Amino acid sequence: MHEFSICRDILAAALEEYRALDPAPKRLKAVRVVAGGMHQIIPEYLATAYGILSRDTPAAGSKLDLVIKPVTGRCRECGWEGEIVPPFFQCAACGALAIDLMQGRELYLDRLEVEDHEHERDQGL
Amino acid sequence: MSTREIRVYKDLMGANEKWAGATRTLLSDQDVVMLNLIGSPGAGKTSLLEAMTPHLSKQARFAVLEGDIETTRDAERLDRLGVPVSQLLSGGACHLEARLVNQALTDFPLRDLDLVFVENVGNMVCPAEFDIGEKAKIAVLSITEGEDKPLKYPLLFREARAVVLTKTDLLPYLEFDLPACRRNIAQIDASLPVFEVSAMTGEGVPAFADWVINTPQTVL
Ligand SMILES: Nc1nc2c(ncn2[C@@H]2O[C@H](COP(=O)(O)OP(=O)(O)OP(=O)(O)O)[C@@H](O)[C@H]2O)c(=O)[nH]1
Ligand SMILES: [Mg+2]
Ligand SMILES: [Zn+2]
């Protein structure tokens, strides 16, 4: 279920950015989202949610690209830095259960891909 | 066909973070500590608040914000005990967001309070993602849910500052492996305090209530 609530936020943000584009593009082709591994997003569920929630919006028919960033952390005991595989927040070097997260909590709209009207491109050239 | 790429780099939690920040300022100005209780439906969140009430009300002035998808039953349970309570209906959403909480807090007599508990919507996943401006998230896990739940929902146990294991009076009837549960929690965050409580018998309730009164203000 949490893919639906995340997807609602993705769509709202993407549509807000898309509608603010000037000149207005012909259509929205793709939306790229970057999510840290801590969010435990299941890509297929997010894609399903996106397909359903984008219906009857300018995002209908566009593609959602999800880039998942691995979780990384730093050991408070020995200073080791590296990838963490949740739910095991353990230092790979000394075994300490003392990991501060460095990456993995992020969730942001990275970019939009839009298709412009042909004449606009001509004018631009 | 001409395709354009537009870099956005927009934090999807941005709007929520702003409200959470406003709430944090509001609460710290009034010296109020807010705790966000998170656990699955039926984990025993309301029962824990009910059981803590006699103990807490001797030492602190507190109020409760009840988050529910529908119905005001939980709020009524606490109201019966004389606890100031306000109901937040999430209107179908599986978690509370910072704006709703901020608005509800403006109806509270914050000047006359030391503590605010938020009982989040019953769910172990989504509420863990959302900062509502609390001082600390508290994970509420009942032993009937199984000792593996911390491993399945690591975000909650990573974000929480304490864990309350509820319904311990049922231990004799279940195959719940308490040491394994504690090990699973420690895997995620070894510094997390874990409280074993039974709202039914009252066992362990004073220890958690004391932690609530003494710890979040100073340490967290
Ligand atoms: N045996 C036993 N049962 C408990 C205990 N605490 C709660 N329960 C029972 O568990 C059920 C759910 O308790 P609630 O306190 O309503 O749980 P909740 O987490 O507030 O539930 P929602 O708000 O609906 O998500 C009720 O039937 C309670 O009587 C306990 O310590 N021991
Ligand atoms: Mg409840
Ligand atoms: Zn180490």
Side-chain angles (χ1 to χ4, degrees):
Chain A
M1 274 322 283
H2 96 308
E3 281 78 6
F4 265 88
S5 85
I6 288 174
C7 192
R8 240 193 4 229
D9 296 341
I10 292 172
L11 252 178
L15 288 174
E16 191 187 327
E17 295 294 326
Y18 178 73
R19 290 190 170 115
L21 291 177
D22 187 24
K26 190 170 155 204
R27 70 181 183 101
L28 181 60
K29 284 182 70 180
V31 170
R32 182 189 292 178
V33 169
V34 175
M38 287 301 286
H39 293 284
Q40 291 188 297
I41 296 173
I42 301 169
E44 294 76 17
Y45 286 13
L46 192 69
T48 304
Y50 189 79
I52 293 169
L53 295 174
S54 65
R55 267 181 213 156
D56 305 321
T57 77
S62 66
K63 191 166 151 279
L64 179 66
D65 291 325
L66 176 67
V67 178
I68 295 185
K69 282 212 177 164
V71 181
T72 63
R74 184 174 188 283
C75 176
R76 286 194 295 274
E77 299 293 329
C78 75
W80 170 86
E81 288 182 6
E83 189 171 343
I84 298 288
V85 183
F88 300 103
F89 295 86
Q90 188 162 22
C91 174
C94 76
L97 294 168
I99 298 290
D100 289 327
L101 290 189
M102 292 160 54
Q103 176 184 283
R105 276 199 179 90
E106 50 280 271
L107 182 60
Y108 60 90
L109 179 62
D110 185 50
R111 62 183 68 183
L112 303 180
E113 198 183 308
V114 300
E115 187 185 322
D116 283 321
H117 292 286
E118 288 303 318
H119 64 273
E120 243 124 36
R121 188 196 55 176
D122 295 343
Q123 283 165 4
L125 284 175
Chain B
M1 229 188 5
S2 74
T3 296
R4 220 174 0 139
E5 247 190 19
I6 296 118
R7 301 259 346 170
V8 181
Y9 203 81
K10 184 182 197 174
D11 187 354
L12 288 166
M13 295 290 182
N16 190 70
E17 289 300 324
K18 249 182 245 154
W19 284 103
T23 294
R24 219 160 253 131
T25 308
L26 175 73
L27 293 174
S28 74
D29 284 351
Q30 305 277 355
D31 260 325
V32 177
V33 167
M34 184 165 85
L35 299 174
N36 181 1
L37 302 184
I38 302 177
S40 0
K45 300 177 292 296
T46 310
S47 303
L48 175 67
L49 290 170
E50 286 172 311
M52 279 201 296
T53 294
H55 197 85
L56 271 181
S57 49
K58 278 186 230 138
Q59 306 175 65
R61 299 163 302 169
F62 70 100
V64 176
L65 274 181
E66 271 296 334
D68 266 307
I69 294 182
E70 282 297 341
T71 88
T72 56
R73 298 171 68 108
D74 285 1
E76 285 157 19
R77 282 164 62 183
L78 291 159
D79 184 56
R80 249 175 261 141
L81 299 177
V83 176
V85 53
S86 176
Q87 179 79 47
L88 283 175
L89 292 181
S90 69
C94 49
H95 60 271
L96 293 175
E97 290 189 13
R99 190 160 76 107
L100 195 62
V101 172
N102 185 275
Q103 285 164 349
L105 284 175
T106 57
D107 293 337
F108 267 12
L110 292 177
R111 201 170 317 198
D112 305 324
L113 292 174
D114 306 306
L115 279 169
V116 171
F117 292 94
V118 178
E119 180 180 336
N120 217 309
V121 181
N123 182 332
M124 290 181 96
V125 184
C126 307
E129 304 255 9
F130 289 85
D131 182 2
I132 54 170
E134 74 279 326
K135 185 86 182 180
K137 292 186 171 74
I138 311 289
V140 179
L141 175 68
S142 61
I143 64 165
T144 51
E145 294 168 67
E147 62 273 347
D148 58 344
K149 291 307 165 292
L151 300 181
K152 288 192 178 168
Y153 303 99
L155 183 69
L156 171 59
F157 292 85
R158 193 69 210 182
E159 299 288 331
R161 290 291 159 269
V163 180
V164 183
L165 288 178
T166 61
K167 311 193 188 180
T168 53
D169 55 286
L170 298 176
L171 268 171
Y173 312 104
L174 302 170
E175 278 178 40
F176 185 80
D177 187 342
L178 191 58
C181 187
R182 284 181 165 273
R183 275 199 305 279
N184 292 342
I185 293 168
Q187 280 284 359
I188 291 160
D189 186 347
S191 64
L192 263 187
V194 179
F195 296 90
E196 296 170 19
V197 310
S198 164
M200 185 98 130
T201 67
E203 207 181 335
V205 172
F208 178 60
D210 288 344
W211 180 90
V212 159
I213 286 179
N214 298 316
T215 313
Q217 292 85 329
T218 51
V219 184
L220 304 177

